[in-house]
């Protein structure tokens, strides 16, 4: 099958410098949704028609093709003279021996199942149109039937009053026998209310040529909803998020409120996962069995081990959290953080590019960067790894069973030996030997006979 995705329209109502089809839905450009769905149908050719927005659209498509190693053709439509004219740009790339499926780059949520039904309805030699009955069909092309058979499509602006009363609309998505398509495109005229070459006019040509015209219906109306404005984009985002939430619920995930979760990527959950309100998941996030995520957490490309608890207001990015660990509230795990089993990371603790082994704790107000931390280590409140001298970064090593007193600074590169203790307030500039107390602060003293100054009376 050939797939042609129309994406040349300008999207004026988006009120944005970004081409319409590049606006994200669930963190992914609209056009990317359509390409991903199309690829699910294993097309032999995939061609994106672009126009408005300069090089941004072909650049995105080129990068995607490179990343995935599957070619995507692009063709420029300039100027944009209508949907029929848009498909004409793809003609040289279309393989005659298979049908051509036309999709829209601004209709992101059509399911592969519905497209599969459309393609099946078309078979090798029929024209199949994805249509829906809509309560408010205003602005859309109407499906005109005679004795139940489709005879043509009429656009709102060209329709008679009787035709405007028709509620079955053209989604724009069609599957067409390619040899016929090429011939019909050649015969299009722009003699209509908008002076455009309408793709929809091929339907009347098919009827004239005796090619059967059939229809298929999507499972839901939102599958054919297009995005023309930020309002419509926001509506489809909510719809999509609700679909994702429903799928999670069906797999047994507990969502405290399915209307208050945002998944912008892939969220993979084990059994008995509980997610509280207001969480955002980006990229690929894995939550193993029994994980709980408290309210208002953001997780980006992260893996959380079985039984771990993420308490409210945490930000976790490119990090791994070990089984049974407890994170937050208000913790930040930055890229390269790898926590072992039963690690506790408390409020206002930031960890970056560090490994922390099993049963270690940093419960309050600490910065651990570029560090290797052993097992059963206790990192006191206010501890900071001074990993950066303004030019280069250095590692801190804290071995098993070390105890770092509160408010210590570890000036890297530096090592705290196994079982070592640092006294509170230590500024460690040399290695601390294993098993010993190291302390770096002036001895405490008390001045006898000192009195507080008093205000002098004027
Ligand atoms: C088209 C259909 C209409 C259908 C409606 C569904 C025609 C003539 N009409 O309406 O029957 O109900 O879609 O939304 O086909 N595009 C291009 N190049 C162009 C014109 C459009 O690439 O020259 C792309 C747009 O970017 C968009 C899609 O085609 O993705 C549809 O264009 P749009 O203007 O939104 O649809 P209409 O022509 O109004
Ligand atoms: Ca439209």
């Amino acid at each position: 099958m050939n797939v042609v995705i129309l994406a040349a329209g300008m999207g004026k109502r988006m009120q944005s410098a970004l081409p319409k089809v590049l606006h994200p839905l669930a963190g992914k450009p609209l056009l990317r949704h359509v390409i991903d769905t199309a690829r699910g149908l294993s097309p032999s050719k995939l061609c994106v028609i672009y126009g408005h927005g300069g090089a941004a659209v072909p650049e995105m498509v080129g990068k995607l093709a490179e990343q995935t190693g599957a070619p995507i053709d692009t063709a420029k439509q300039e100027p944009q003279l209508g949907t029929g004219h848009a498909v004409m740009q793809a003609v040289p790339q279309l393989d005659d021996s298979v049908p051509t499926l036309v999709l829209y780059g601004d209709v992101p949520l059509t399911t592969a199942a519905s497209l599969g039904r459309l393609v099946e309805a078309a078979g090798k030699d029929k024209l199949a149109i994805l249509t829906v009955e809509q309560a408010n069909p205003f602005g859309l092309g109407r499906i005109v039937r005679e004795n139940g058979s489709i005879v043509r499509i009429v656009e709102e602006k060209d329709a008679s009053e009787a035709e405007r009363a028709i509620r079955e609309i053209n989604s724009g998505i069609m599957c067409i026998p390619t040899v016929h398509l090429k011939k019909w495109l050649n015969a299009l005229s722009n003699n209509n209310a908008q002076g455009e070459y309408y793709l929809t006019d091929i339907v009347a040509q098919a009827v004239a040529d005796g090619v059967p015209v059939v229809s298929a219906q999507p499972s839901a109306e939102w599958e054919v909803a297009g995005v023309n404005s930020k309002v419509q984009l926001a509506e489809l985002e909510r719809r999509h998020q609700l679909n994702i939430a429903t799928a999670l619920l069906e797999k047994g995930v507990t969502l405290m409120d399915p209307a208050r979760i945002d998944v912008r990527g892939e969220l993979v959950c084990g059994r008995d996962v509980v997610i509280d309100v207001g969480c955002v998941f980006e990229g690929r996030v894995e939550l193993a069995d029994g994980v709980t995520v408290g309210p208002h957490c953001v997780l980006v490309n992260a893996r959380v081990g079985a039984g771990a608890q993420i308490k409210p207001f945490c930000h976790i990015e490119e990090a791994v959290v070990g089984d049974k660990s407890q994170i937050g509230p208000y913790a930040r795990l930055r890229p390269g953080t790898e926590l072992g089993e039963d690690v506790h990371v408390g409020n206002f603790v930031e960890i970056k590019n560090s490994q922390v082994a099993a049963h270690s704790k940093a419960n309050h107000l600490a910065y651990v960067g570029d560090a290797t931390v052993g097992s059963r280590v206790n990192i006191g409140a206010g501890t900071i790894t001074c990993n950066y001298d303004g030019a280069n970064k250095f590692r801190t090593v804290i071995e098993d069973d070390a105890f770092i007193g509160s408010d210590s600074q570890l000036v890297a590169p530096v090592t705290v030996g196994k079982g070592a203790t640092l006294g509170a307030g230590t500024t460690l500039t040399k290695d601390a030997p294993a098993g010993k107390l190291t302390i770096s602060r002036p001895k405490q003293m008390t001045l006898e006979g000192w009195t507080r100054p008093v205000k002098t009376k004027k």
Side-chain angles (χ1 to χ4, degrees), residues 13 20 104 106-107 139-140 171 226-228 232:
R13 284 159 60 199
K20 176 165 75 173
Y104 286 0
D106 57 1
V107 178
L140 296 163
S171 69
V227 172
N228 297 299
Q232 290 171 341

Side-chain angles (χ1 to χ4, degrees), residues 335-339 350-357 367-374 377 379 383-387 393-399 410 412-416:
T337 297
E338 287 173 34
L339 309 182
E350 173 181 342
I351 304 184
K352 183 213 80 168
N353 189 30
S354 296
Q355 293 78 46
V356 180
Y367 173 60
V368 178
D370 302 307
T372 305
V373 179
V377 168
I379 295 177
T383 296
I384 288 173
T385 54
C386 308
N387 58 328
K393 301 229 164 101
F394 302 96
R395 283 199 83 78
T396 298
V397 176
I398 304 174
E399 293 179 353
L410 312 180
V414 75
T415 295
V416 178

Side-chain angles (χ1 to χ4, degrees), residues 27 45 52 87 99 127 137 169 207 214 256 264 275 299 305 317 424:
K45 288 262 177 195
H52 270 282
V87 177
L127 194 171
I169 61 95
V207 173
V214 298
M256 299 316 289
R264 300 173 192 150
I275 301 172
L299 282 82
E317 182 176 7

Side-chain angles (χ1 to χ4, degrees), residues 117-381:
R117 283 201 302 279
L118 180 76
V119 170
E120 201 173 312
K124 271 185 159 20
D125 48 13
K126 292 190 279 285
L127 194 171
I129 309 166
L130 199 62
T131 75
V132 276
E133 293 270 347
Q134 233 162 261
N136 178 14
F138 180 79
L140 296 163
R142 308 297 206 286
I143 305 293
V144 182
R145 289 180 185 262
E146 279 170 18
N147 304 320
S149 303
I150 298 174
V151 291
R152 59 197 172 89
I153 295 175
V154 63
E155 293 304 299
E156 172 85 28
K157 287 183 179 146
D158 302 288
S160 66
E161 206 168 316
E163 287 165 339
R164 282 185 191 154
I166 298 171
R167 298 200 327 184
E168 187 184 10
I169 61 95
N170 169 33
S171 69
I173 296 172
M174 301 183 190
C175 188
I176 313 146
T178 303
V179 175
H180 288 295
L181 172 65
K182 289 182 178 176
K183 177 187 156 219
W184 297 333
L185 288 174
N186 267 327
L188 288 183
S189 89
N190 62 353
N191 182 17
N192 52 52
Q194 301 181 79
E196 286 183 3
Y197 295 93
Y198 292 166
L199 178 63
T200 45
D201 284 350
I202 67 171
V203 174
Q205 292 192 62
V207 173
D209 283 352
V211 173
V213 180
V214 298
S215 67
Q217 281 69 43
S219 310
E221 202 173 307
W222 48 260
E223 285 195 40
V224 297
V227 172
N228 297 299
S229 66
K230 291 285 172 72
V231 172
Q232 290 171 341
L233 180 62
E235 284 168 359
L236 273 196
E237 177 79 38
R238 282 305 100 207
R239 162 48 61 187
H240 186 52
Q241 292 301 340
L242 201 55
N243 292 346
I244 294 171
T246 304
L248 289 168
L249 291 169
E250 279 165 356
K251 281 188 188 144
V253 177
T254 300
L255 301 178
M256 299 316 289
D257 182 354
R260 285 184 286 169
I261 178 173
D262 285 85
V263 180
R264 300 173 192 150
E266 196 186 356
L267 175 59
V268 183
C269 294
R271 286 177 84 83
D272 299 307
V273 166
V274 178
I275 301 172
D276 213 322
V277 301
C279 293
V280 178
F281 299 90
E282 291 178 19
R284 185 181 164 89
V285 176
E286 285 177 42
L287 307 178
D289 293 352
V291 166
T292 64
V293 182
H296 304 291
C297 291
V298 177
L299 282 82
V300 183
N301 294 320
R303 229 166 62 219
V304 181
Q309 272 182 284
I310 313 295
K311 294 173 183 171
F313 303 106
C314 289
H315 191 279
I316 299 178
E317 182 176 7
E318 319 245 333
V320 178
V321 174
D323 294 356
K324 301 193 191 76
S325 287
Q326 297 200 22
I327 312 301
Y330 299 103
R332 180 170 185 208
L333 305 181
R334 290 173 52 202
T337 297
E338 287 173 34
L339 309 182
E341 192 181 324
D342 180 38
V343 167
H344 291 203
V345 177
N347 38 269
F348 307 107
V349 172
E350 173 181 342
I351 304 184
K352 183 213 80 168
N353 189 30
S354 296
Q355 293 78 46
V356 180
H359 314 296
S360 289
K361 297 187 169 107
N363 274 329
H364 342 260
L365 304 153
Y367 173 60
V368 178
D370 302 307
T372 305
V373 179
S375 297
R376 297 171 302 277
V377 168
N378 197 310
I379 295 177

